[in-house]
Amino acid sequence: MNNFGIMSLSLDHENHYIHQIAKYGRDFGFTIYHFVPSTYHPFTHTVKGKQYMPDSDSWIEAEFPVPSILYDRCFYHDDSHSIQCKNIIQWLKKQPTITFLGNGLPNKWKLYQVLRESKLSAYIPETFLLQSANQINFQNLNPVIIKPINGSQGNGLYFIKKQNKDILVRTDKKEKTIEKIFSDQVTFNKWLNQLLKRNSYIMQAHLPLTNKEEQPFDIRAFMQKNPKEEWNVIEKGIRIGEKGRIISNLSAGASIIAFEDWFQTAPFPLKGFLKQEMEEILTLLPSILENSFSTLFELGVDIGISPNGSLWILDVNSKPGRKVIMTAYPHLCEKLYQAPILYAAKLADDKRRNRDEEAISYRNNL
């Protein structure tokens, strides 16, 4: 049996998803483990976590060597535990006996620097690395959006607008939108500079990505690489946020519908051309990213559409969630649970083949 490890920052994260993956392990010759990277012991090269027991469909606590194939589902923040886990994973990636399903993407700023020079540059909003409140010039950009370069799910995103002498700042929390008004530039600058001390941010012009009901919405395309190393668009779903919200993220209460259901009634001109552009984006994007960074296994691509039908790539995530696709297309759940195991089986077969070839080469050179 081959060993397949799934990593997260807590053994409580994504339990349902990880459990469903584990059910398919034995069918493809895998023992499945779930562990937190910070449990790694540098002297024994072991980790502590859980091992899946297929006969009882349950997990047991265990200490075990680091599995030879790893699936990274760690969502980092700026806390010390995240930094510790990230450093250990970076070290594991350098070990010749360990293979990752995908190596992940860098932060939003590094991603922007690559995409703005690519064939997809027309779909990338102009973006600035925000290092000081003095960089915001409301005469040139108003309103603006700022977001942390390492953020996900819309966390830490702020809408900022100059209104006469006042400066309005809004952010979405799970239950509601929080709003603060600064009556002068000095007070606003002090608040923003404090924020920038805690996290690195990027800044973009605010794009009017709402429907006729003034609800924010976007398209989530979910992509995966199959065992033949071919990228497939598994499906696309629409996230529709509540009226008055800034973002359409599920964490802010967005609803979900299937792409084709939405597209049939979408009020955009030249809808066929819009669909063609979307296909071009999703065809070109994986190779651009893999050529610039490293190998990937899956991608979540968020695309916004302005009222005139212009497409914008809003975010690209190498550790995408599955809720949009599973909610809109329940029949795809089994396929999504199997996909990491199928791709891991391909990687395990590649490793075995490479070992065999090295052994043959060694014998031939004796």
Side-chain angles (χ1 to χ4, degrees):
M1 296 283 278
N2 292 304
N3 294 332
F4 179 61
I6 305 171
M7 300 181 294
S8 59
L9 293 185
S10 163
L11 292 180
D12 295 325
H13 287 180
E14 295 193 309
N15 270 348
H16 179 74
Y17 174 55
I18 292 169
H19 188 82
Q20 295 304 315
I21 292 173
K23 288 181 178 181
Y24 295 100
R26 184 159 66 178
D27 292 343
F28 294 93
F30 284 108
T31 302
I32 308 296
Y33 299 95
H34 180 199
F35 68 97
V36 178
S38 57
T39 65
Y40 175 72
H41 196 293
F43 297 114
T44 61
H45 299 292
T46 58
V47 288
K48 292 180 180 179
K50 300 187 294 185
Q51 178 182 344
Y52 179 70
M53 309 303 288
D55 290 333
S56 58
D57 188 29
S58 63
W59 297 82
I60 59 168
E61 291 185 6
E63 183 171 353
F64 43 89
V66 177
S68 58
I69 297 180
L70 296 178
Y71 185 25
D72 179 8
R73 294 296 295 175
C74 295
F75 298 93
Y76 304 115
H77 303 285
D78 289 319
D79 58 284
S80 58
H81 183 240
S82 288
I83 294 168
Q84 180 189 11
C85 288
K86 193 172 185 178
N87 289 338
I88 290 169
I89 287 176
Q90 290 303 317
W91 184 83
L92 290 173
K93 286 180 178 178
K94 297 175 183 176
Q95 306 313 303
T97 58
I98 294 174
T99 302
F100 279 69
L101 254 62
N103 286 294
L105 290 171
N107 64 50
K108 287 179 170 58
W109 176 243
K110 290 180 179 177
L111 198 57
Y112 168 74
Q113 290 176 300
V114 165
L115 292 178
R116 72 177 177 184
E117 301 296 333
S118 74
K119 292 180 180 179
L120 297 177
S121 59
Y123 303 106
I124 310 300
E126 187 175 15
T127 303
F128 306 90
L129 183 63
L130 186 61
Q131 296 174 304
S132 166
N134 293 328
Q135 285 178 253
I136 299 184
N137 185 339
F138 290 110
Q139 290 182 325
N140 295 332
L141 288 179
N142 190 31
V144 299
I145 289 284
I146 67 169
K147 43 191 169 182
I149 63 172
N150 291 310
S152 62
Q153 299 181 327
N155 293 323
L157 184 147
Y158 292 90
F159 168 92
I160 303 172
K161 183 178 182 180
K162 182 77 178 287
Q163 299 180 143
N164 299 319
K165 292 183 179 180
D166 293 336
I167 299 173
L168 169 69
V169 176
R170 294 168 58 208
T171 188
D172 280 344
K173 299 296 183 184
K174 285 186 178 180
E175 298 80 14
K176 59 184 178 180
T177 298
I178 296 174
E179 187 172 296
K180 184 175 180 63
I181 296 176
F182 295 92
S183 58
D184 61 82
Q185 187 80 43
V186 173
T187 311
F188 166 75
N189 284 1
K190 184 178 179 182
W191 167 82
L192 181 54
N193 284 329
Q194 285 296 319
L195 187 70
L196 297 177
K197 285 180 182 178
R198 296 196 296 271
N199 290 300
S200 298
Y201 275 76
I202 56 172
M203 175 178 67
Q204 300 169 335
H206 176 256
L207 299 170
L209 305 176
T210 57
N211 59 21
K212 59 184 179 182
E213 286 80 26
E214 298 179 21
Q215 297 168 300
F217 79 100
D218 67 5
I219 300 161
R220 160 57 68 94
F222 186 85
M223 307 182 69
Q224 279 184 328
K225 196 186 282 181
N226 67 24
K228 295 179 181 179
E229 298 284 347
E230 300 164 335
W231 281 96
N232 297 320
V233 179
I234 304 302
E235 257 305 349
K236 300 185 291 291
I238 304 295
R239 300 182 297 191
I240 303 175
E242 298 174 356
K243 183 177 179 179
R245 290 286 193 136
I246 305 165
I247 55 174
S248 56
N249 291 67
L250 302 183
S251 59
S255 56
I256 299 166
I257 59 174
F259 175 79
E260 287 298 336
D261 293 346
W262 167 84
F263 191 74
Q264 288 173 10
T265 58
F268 296 103
L270 303 171
K271 285 166 65 174
F273 183 64
L274 185 146
K275 210 169 188 178
Q276 188 178 332
E277 278 191 292
M278 204 172 306
E279 288 175 4
E280 180 185 15
I281 289 171
L282 299 177
T283 299
L284 293 175
L285 185 59
S287 60
I288 291 171
L289 297 177
E290 290 193 306
N291 289 337
S292 300
F293 301 115
S294 191
T295 55
L296 300 163
F297 163 59
E298 56 193 355
L299 289 170
V301 186
D302 297 337
I303 299 172
I305 308 180
S306 61
N308 65 2
S310 300
L311 296 184
W312 299 99
I313 298 174
L314 303 178
D315 200 8
V316 184
N317 191 338
S318 57
K319 299 176 185 176
R322 286 150 177 74
K323 187 173 181 180
V324 171
I325 304 304
M326 289 182 171
T327 302
Y329 311 94
H331 65 282
L332 290 177
C333 289
E334 186 174 349
K335 180 178 182 178
L336 291 173
Y337 295 142
Q338 280 187 345
I341 294 291
L342 287 171
Y343 193 66
K346 182 264 181 196
L347 295 176
D349 192 49
D350 287 348
K351 292 178 77 162
R352 179 193 55 76
R353 191 179 296 112
N354 289 339
R355 285 196 302 270
D356 290 348
E357 289 174 357
E358 287 172 3
I360 292 169
S361 176
Y362 175 76
R363 287 197 298 269
N364 290 340
N365 289 328
L366 286 177

